[in-house]
Amino acid sequence: MFQKRLDLFRSILYVGDILLAAAMWLAAYYVRFHLPILPVTKGIPSLNLYLIQMLLVVPTFMVVFQVSGLYRRPWAGPAQYFWPVFRASTLGVLISVTVTYFVRPYEFSRLVFMHHWVLLSIAMLVSRPLLARAWTAWHQASSFESVLIVGVDDLGRLVAKTLTNQPVLGLKVKGFLARNADMVGGEMDGVPIVGVYEDVQEVIASQNINMVVIALPLEAHDRILGVVNSIGDAVVDIKVVPDLLRHVSLGGSFEEFEGLPFIGLRGSPMVGWARVAKRALDLGGASLGLLLLSPVMLALALGVKLGSKGPVLYRQQRMGLDGRVFTMLKFRSMREDAEAACGAVWASKDDPRCTRLGALMRRTSLDELPQFFNVFSGDMSLVGPRPERPELIGDFRRKIPNYMLRHHVKAGMTGWAQINGWRGNTSLQKRIDCDLYYIENWSLWLDLKILLLTPIKGFVSPNAY
């Protein structure tokens, strides 16, 4: 029900954005040719040409708006929707310009596309808070639906906060029901405690409640049936929020399959089309990387071979997806017998085991380039948590909570932790936090962002040695 309410608001927002895309295209034509910021040198073209072109521009934006993540959090504030709006308007204009170049029956002004980009970005940024306010005002005029929450523990308070922070739902939390009578009359987070569990039917009648949300802790779940029976035949919606939040560690989800509800406490985001899209990005990116960097790799291979005794490539066992061990490739940067005395340890600054070329490669991460072949084979991804050696992981998993959750996705050549400076001999906890953030918030856009930032923040790092 909550999702359906949000879907209605999303649909209205989507239709509004499409209308803005069309209106701003006409406005861009007017600004360019009838309010010229720059002089018009080739005469004013017919409006009909731009009306016909709009039949191509608007459908392009209809697709871009849907796939750009613009409506993932339609109730978010300006700080959250600024980047999605900028991204969608930029991508839409770039695709429109590209498509127009190939199918153009007429040479359209590039300045019109630029004006369209500016005007549409501003219009979408302005329209969102206005629509949210209008939507909230409409609910206030037609009255919010009243919600009663059974339970004042952490779960109940979280439900109240979540519903209050999403006014587009049109719901208003009127009160809590508590377990103990001595809490009645007090408040919790500004919401009054209006009774105990047994008072539920009386409170429904006196407060004109439309929805009852039962949010009891696990130890009180035996009271749920009693609360439902107490509600009786009162005409209200009844929702139950299971107290499983403390057990949700990664990728929590809820889905219905063949009539059965499934609650996911842990899972990977790389399922279905997401997995296909990420693999396509890996194959395309690895192909491009090898094509562009093959001269550099050949030069490094020759330098390693001539600079010290031993093989060009160093093969090392690492742990990847689902805890499976694979052989990771690197250019050899140390002496052949580097681990004969000390075993598996992290490299240190000015490590005497490094060769002269090896030290340079490690500082610039060039020793990692052969991992493009690991990406091709499917053992690694371009983006993901950096893989560790199995000999070290046994100790890490005992000391770092949730360490093994990072293996729900493929290991990566670069990752969120690396571009944020957490690489080499730095805080493991910070690195794990970054890895889990990446998994929980994964999208192709996040992968592209990390790939674009890697040459700036990932290749060269004071912690790379």
Side-chain angles (χ1 to χ4, degrees):
M1 186 277 293
F2 299 115
Q3 194 61 49
K4 290 180 179 179
R5 289 171 181 259
L6 285 180
D7 286 344
L8 175 59
F9 185 74
R10 285 190 178 102
S11 299
I12 294 174
L13 195 58
Y14 176 60
V15 172
D17 287 342
I18 294 172
L19 294 176
L20 284 176
M24 293 305 104
W25 176 254
L26 298 178
Y29 170 86
Y30 176 81
V31 170
R32 173 66 187 107
F33 297 113
H34 296 281
L35 189 67
I37 299 174
L38 295 174
V40 178
T41 59
K42 296 181 180 180
I44 299 177
S46 170
L47 175 61
N48 290 335
L49 288 171
Y50 282 82
L51 288 174
I52 294 172
Q53 179 66 5
M54 189 168 67
L55 299 178
L56 177 63
V57 171
V58 172
T60 298
F61 275 94
M62 291 174 67
V63 176
V64 169
F65 287 157
Q66 284 287 3
V67 302
S68 63
L70 196 56
Y71 310 102
R72 191 171 299 160
R73 293 175 59 85
W75 60 88
Q80 287 74 41
Y81 62 66
F82 177 84
W83 168 244
V85 165
F86 176 80
R87 182 176 61 202
S89 61
T90 302
L91 183 61
V93 168
L94 289 176
I95 294 176
S96 297
V97 171
T98 303
V99 173
T100 299
Y101 179 81
F102 288 106
V103 302
R104 60 183 179 183
Y106 168 82
E107 187 172 351
F108 291 92
S109 170
R110 296 294 181 263
L111 286 175
V112 170
F113 286 100
M114 188 188 75
H115 292 330
H116 187 224
W117 173 65
V118 173
L119 292 172
L120 180 58
S121 298
I122 294 174
M124 290 173 68
L125 289 173
V126 171
S127 68
R128 270 154 171 70
L130 293 179
L131 179 59
R133 290 181 183 179
W135 187 258
T136 303
W138 176 75
H139 279 301
Q140 289 174 337
S142 59
S143 75
F144 284 98
E145 292 191 30
S146 301
V147 178
L148 177 66
I149 299 176
V150 180
V152 292
D153 296 282
D154 291 342
L155 183 61
R157 295 169 63 188
L158 178 60
V159 170
K161 180 180 179 181
T162 301
L163 298 182
T164 301
N165 289 342
Q166 299 174 9
V168 298
L169 292 175
L171 302 173
K172 183 177 180 62
V173 179
K174 296 294 289 288
F176 288 109
L177 294 183
R179 185 184 318 173
N180 301 319
D182 55 1
M183 298 183 67
V184 177
E187 286 189 353
M188 189 66 69
D189 299 333
V191 179
I193 301 174
V194 295
V196 294
Y197 299 163
E198 291 76 12
D199 298 332
V200 61
Q201 192 172 56
E202 178 184 338
V203 173
I204 288 172
S206 63
Q207 299 283 345
N208 295 318
I209 299 298
N210 305 105
M211 180 188 300
V212 176
V213 179
I214 303 173
L216 298 178
L218 281 175
E219 58 269 20
H221 270 205
D222 58 335
R223 306 288 297 273
I224 292 178
L225 185 59
V227 172
V228 173
N229 288 335
S230 297
I231 294 174
D233 60 357
V235 185
V236 292
D237 291 340
I238 303 175
K239 309 291 182 184
V240 177
V241 181
D243 184 25
L244 295 172
L245 291 178
R246 71 187 73 177
H247 304 291
V248 174
S249 55
L250 183 72
S253 63
F254 174 85
E255 62 179 317
E256 181 181 329
F257 181 70
E258 296 292 337
L260 295 175
F262 290 84
I263 299 175
L265 303 182
R266 183 184 299 176
S268 169
M270 311 304 175
V271 178
W273 281 110
R275 183 175 181 178
V276 174
K278 185 166 177 65
R279 183 60 179 153
L281 177 63
D282 286 342
L283 291 174
S287 300
L288 183 62
L290 285 174
L291 179 65
L292 297 178
L293 297 173
S294 55
V296 177
M297 295 176 67
L298 288 173
L300 290 174
L302 182 61
V304 171
K305 189 64 178 176
L306 296 177
S308 62
K309 180 183 177 181
V312 170
L313 294 178
Y314 178 57
R315 292 172 169 82
Q316 193 176 67
Q317 297 296 298
R318 296 290 181 108
M319 186 175 290
L321 178 65
D322 296 332
R324 294 194 296 267
V325 176
F326 67 96
T327 301
M328 190 180 77
L329 303 176
K330 301 175 68 174
F331 282 124
R332 182 175 57 83
S333 58
M334 294 187 176
R335 301 190 313 267
E336 191 176 17
D337 60 348
E339 294 185 342
C342 60
V345 295
W346 270 351
S348 58
K349 191 172 184 179
D350 300 321
D351 198 317
R353 299 174 299 164
C354 286
T355 64
R356 184 176 302 177
L357 176 60
L360 174 63
M361 289 193 299
R362 294 179 76 90
R363 284 196 300 272
T364 56
S365 303
L366 293 174
D367 60 323
E368 311 283 354
L369 294 182
Q371 289 160 35
F372 280 125
F373 294 107
N374 288 117
V375 175
F376 262 115
S377 68
D379 291 327
M380 292 180 66
S381 175
L382 291 175
V383 182
R386 286 294 294 165
E388 293 291 354
R389 303 179 67 168
E391 307 95 291
L392 302 176
I393 287 177
D395 184 47
F396 294 161
R397 68 188 303 180
R398 288 192 296 270
K399 294 180 179 178
I400 308 295
N402 298 324
Y403 180 86
M404 294 302 290
L405 296 182
R406 67 202 302 270
H407 296 107
H408 275 277
V409 297
K410 287 182 180 179
M413 291 182 66
T414 183
W416 187 247
Q418 282 64 47
I419 66 169
N420 282 284
W422 302 109
R423 57 174 298 181
N425 195 10
T426 55
S427 169
L428 270 176
Q429 185 60 62
K430 293 291 187 181
R431 199 178 311 176
I432 298 307
D433 292 343
C434 286
D435 290 341
L436 297 185
Y437 172 87
Y438 167 76
I439 297 172
E440 291 175 345
N441 296 276
W442 176 83
S443 69
L444 283 181
W445 294 111
L446 181 57
D447 274 5
L448 291 172
K449 178 180 179 180
I450 293 171
L451 289 173
L452 291 173
L453 289 175
T454 293
I456 304 171
K457 297 185 175 182
F459 277 159
V460 180
S461 169
N463 301 314
Y465 41 75

